[in-house]
Amino acid sequence: MTSTNVRRMAVSIAAVTALTGVAACGSGGSGDKEAKGGSALSPVAALRLADKSTSGADSARVESTTTMGTMMSMKADGVLDWADGYTGTMTIEYTGGAMADQMRQLGSTSMEARYLPDAYYANMGDAFARQTGGKQWIKYDYDALADMAGGSGAYMKDQMQNTTPNQSVKLLLASGDVQKVGEETVRGQRTTHYSGAVEVADLASKSSGLTASQLADLKKQLEQAGITTETIDIWINEDDLLVKKVEKGEMTSGTLSQTAFYTDYGVEVSAEEPPADDTVDFKELVQTQPSA
């Protein structure tokens, strides 16, 4: 594999690894026992109750599948903690698309991702290490990503550092378009299914503290990718905990979709920074690779 391919892979993994963690932690809940019976309330009132119930949540186990048009499809499984910054570990397996083909060139279609409050890390394996002086891990510092990627990088940084597991509930409330679909059983649990459509660019302004110029940059990049609206479906159980989320949208490369399941709230999460001598910085990697 050429050094140019190493750089291209680093850029791709930056976006996809961030997407996996943030999207997976975009919904959730906690054990607030103050009120129950959300299924008997109006959709907005039920979602407000579910949103409130997440305030005491600390962590959860997440299992998700994601497809991004022809670019990639993948499965992810791990634990995420949002009590004090965004931390966690995920095992990601690329199952199809151009991303899986690129990963095969590195000798594996799976990787480990570690999320810490100020950066996240991707373990690219032995084949990648042979191109980077023996270092298997890539470090993606959020500040560096924000500087290098303009509005989309700033938005990524904001979301990685401030996203809470009830994000999808908040997005539906912000959309003003929420409907109760009905009662359904999800993996043995009785749940209430809610659905709505959201405007992606509008939500970015509602859910972040970005500047006007950063938001304009982000909106332009979203439009170039063909992402304008998406639908969100969530399933909330009798304890006001979200147990399933489905998000779907359209991109220039095809359909963007993710399904995530949430279990084992309160699970212990341990995510440590990899050894420095086994880690290469993403910014340094990009700057040192020759252009294609």
Side-chain angles (χ1 to χ4, degrees):
M1 174 177 289
T2 66
S3 58
T4 299
N5 286 337
V6 171
R7 180 180 63 178
R8 184 178 300 114
M9 179 62 66
V11 172
S12 299
I13 294 300
V16 174
T17 306
L19 168 71
T20 304
V22 171
C25 201
S27 304
S30 75
D32 186 341
K33 307 302 182 181
E34 188 174 321
K36 300 297 175 187
S39 63
L41 303 175
S42 70
V44 171
L47 291 186
R48 285 175 177 166
L49 179 59
D51 183 29
K52 180 181 178 181
S53 75
T54 69
S55 62
D58 290 330
S59 63
R61 187 172 301 278
V62 182
E63 176 187 341
S64 68
T65 57
T66 305
T67 299
M68 296 179 64
T70 58
M71 189 176 84
M72 68 90 193
S73 59
M74 66 183 180
K75 298 187 297 184
D77 182 72
V79 291
L80 298 172
D81 186 298
W82 53 90
D84 184 19
Y86 186 77
T87 62
T89 61
M90 299 285 287
T91 299
I92 302 170
E93 179 183 357
Y94 297 88
T95 57
M99 187 72 68
D101 293 338
Q102 291 180 336
M103 288 294 292
R104 290 188 187 96
Q105 296 179 44
L106 293 178
S108 174
T109 57
S110 65
M111 56 166 281
E112 177 188 352
R114 296 183 187 178
Y115 300 87
L116 280 80
D118 297 319
Y120 69 94
Y121 300 80
N123 188 327
M124 302 302 297
D126 294 336
F128 177 83
R130 287 194 289 271
Q131 300 292 331
T132 55
K135 298 179 180 181
Q136 294 186 330
W137 290 88
I138 306 176
K139 175 183 179 180
Y140 302 99
D141 181 89
Y142 300 144
D143 287 333
L145 287 175
D147 292 339
M148 297 175 66
S152 62
Y155 184 58
M156 180 188 297
K157 173 188 174 183
D158 179 81
Q159 291 296 287
M160 292 297 292
Q161 293 185 316
N162 298 304
T163 292
T164 56
N166 60 323
Q167 193 67 22
S168 290
V169 177
K170 289 182 178 294
L171 297 185
L172 278 182
L173 286 169
S175 74
D177 176 26
V178 184
Q179 298 180 358
K180 176 181 175 180
V181 179
E183 309 295 320
E184 300 176 15
T185 300
V186 176
R187 294 188 169 183
Q189 298 188 61
R190 295 178 58 186
T191 69
T192 305
H193 177 187
Y194 299 94
S195 180
V198 298
E199 297 289 335
V200 175
D202 287 347
L203 290 174
S205 64
K206 293 176 181 177
S207 61
S208 73
L210 304 183
T211 66
S213 61
Q214 289 173 333
L215 288 170
D217 190 8
L218 173 63
K219 183 176 180 180
K220 179 180 178 181
Q221 294 181 53
L222 289 170
E223 290 173 344
Q224 289 175 342
I227 304 175
T228 56
T229 63
E230 68 174 358
T231 59
I232 298 179
D233 290 79
I234 61 176
W235 287 257
I236 299 173
N237 69 10
E238 295 176 316
D239 292 323
D240 303 318
L241 300 176
L242 187 136
V243 296
K244 180 182 178 182
K245 176 197 69 173
V246 175
E247 295 192 26
K248 293 183 179 180
E250 293 299 324
M251 305 173 62
T252 53
S253 60
T255 299
L256 166 66
S257 66
Q258 184 188 66
T259 299
F261 294 90
Y262 306 89
T263 59
D264 201 9
Y265 285 97
V267 64
E268 183 176 351
V269 177
S270 176
E272 298 182 354
E273 181 178 344
D277 60 3
D278 196 22
T279 303
V280 59
D281 189 272
F282 166 73
K283 186 174 182 178
E284 176 185 346
L285 180 65
V286 171
Q287 291 175 340
T288 57
Q289 299 303 320
S291 61

